[in-house]
């Protein structure tokens, strides 16, 4: 379904984009216009373009060792996220497992429970639950933490 929106300036597009739902497919088409006095001349319509807004990726701000071999994580909040999945591995490019699932989208701090000594690599991704489906963002940057003691 194509919906008509009132004439928009290109500077209005970011505001329109904020109203779109993540994971829902939208169809767009545009056309140029020029005003000359009281007369408006329109160009032809573009071909229909299809787009599906995606959830932004988060960024890990801090990952550090805490007492008793725990790991403190702080990350950037993603607007619209209903939660985050935290992944951990002993290797930077493989072997990641879900270490925790944070069900609150507003939470941006988490402490991972006790781990054995060693170096760990951590990444996070946001998710949103919509109509019974879970839609994931891309992965965050990877941070490493070395646990001692």
């Amino acid at each position: 379904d194509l919906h008509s929106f009132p004439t928009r300036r290109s500077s209005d597009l970011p505001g329109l984009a904020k109203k779109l739902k993540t994971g829902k497919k939208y169809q767009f088409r545009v056309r140029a216009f020029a005003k000359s006095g009281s007369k408006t001349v329109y160009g032809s319509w573009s071909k229909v373009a299809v787009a599906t807004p995606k959830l932004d990726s988060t960024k890990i701000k801090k990952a550090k060792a805490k007492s008793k071999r725990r790991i403190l994580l702080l990350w950037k909040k993603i607007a619209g996220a209903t939660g985050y999945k935290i992944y951990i591995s002993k290797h930077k490019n493989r072997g990641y497992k879900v270490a925790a699932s944070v069900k609150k989208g507003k939470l941006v701090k988490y402490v991972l429970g006790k781990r054995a000594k060693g170096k760990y690599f951590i990444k996070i991704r946001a998710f949103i639950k919509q109509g019974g489906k879970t839609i994931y963002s891309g992965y965050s940057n990877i941070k490493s933490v070395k646990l001692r003691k």
Side-chain angles (χ1 to χ4, degrees):
D1 290 339
L2 287 176
H3 297 284
S4 288
F5 290 99
T7 303
R8 300 216 179 249
R9 296 180 305 273
S10 60
S11 61
D12 292 339
L13 292 177
L16 174 64
K18 286 181 182 178
K19 296 177 184 177
L20 303 179
K21 287 188 176 184
T22 302
K24 184 176 178 189
K25 190 184 288 188
Y26 291 91
Q27 296 180 338
F28 298 92
R29 65 182 185 161
V30 295
R31 68 177 173 174
F33 69 95
K35 288 190 176 189
S36 178
S38 61
K39 191 173 181 181
T40 304
V41 179
Y42 293 95
S44 57
W45 284 103
S46 68
K47 291 182 180 179
V48 174
V50 179
T52 305
K54 296 187 178 185
L55 197 57
D56 286 339
S57 298
T58 188
K59 181 179 181 198
I60 299 175
K61 293 179 179 179
K62 183 190 260 185
K64 73 175 198 171
K66 287 192 58 111
S67 62
K68 298 184 182 176
R69 296 194 312 257
R70 296 175 195 273
I71 301 170
L72 169 69
L73 295 170
L74 294 168
W75 63 87
K76 181 183 145 217
K77 179 182 168 191
I78 299 300
T82 54
Y84 302 89
K85 293 235 182 202
I86 301 169
Y87 297 83
I88 193 164
S89 175
K90 288 276 211 169
H91 308 280
K92 186 171 184 175
N93 296 316
R94 62 183 167 89
Y96 282 90
K97 304 262 191 247
V98 176
S101 186
V102 179
K103 304 270 193 228
K104 295 180 182 173
K106 293 182 180 182
L107 192 67
V108 293
K109 178 180 176 181
Y110 193 81
V111 177
L112 289 174
K114 283 189 176 183
R115 304 273 169 200
K117 290 193 294 186
K119 190 171 186 177
Y120 291 91
F121 296 91
I122 298 154
K123 61 186 179 180
I124 300 173
R125 68 178 176 170
F127 65 86
I128 186 169
K129 297 236 180 200
Q130 238 178 20
K133 291 182 181 178
T134 304
I135 300 162
Y136 291 96
S137 72
Y139 290 100
S140 70
N141 54 322
I142 296 171
K143 289 280 188 176
S144 65
V145 177
K146 197 172 232 179
L147 294 180
R148 298 180 174 110
K149 294 185 184 178

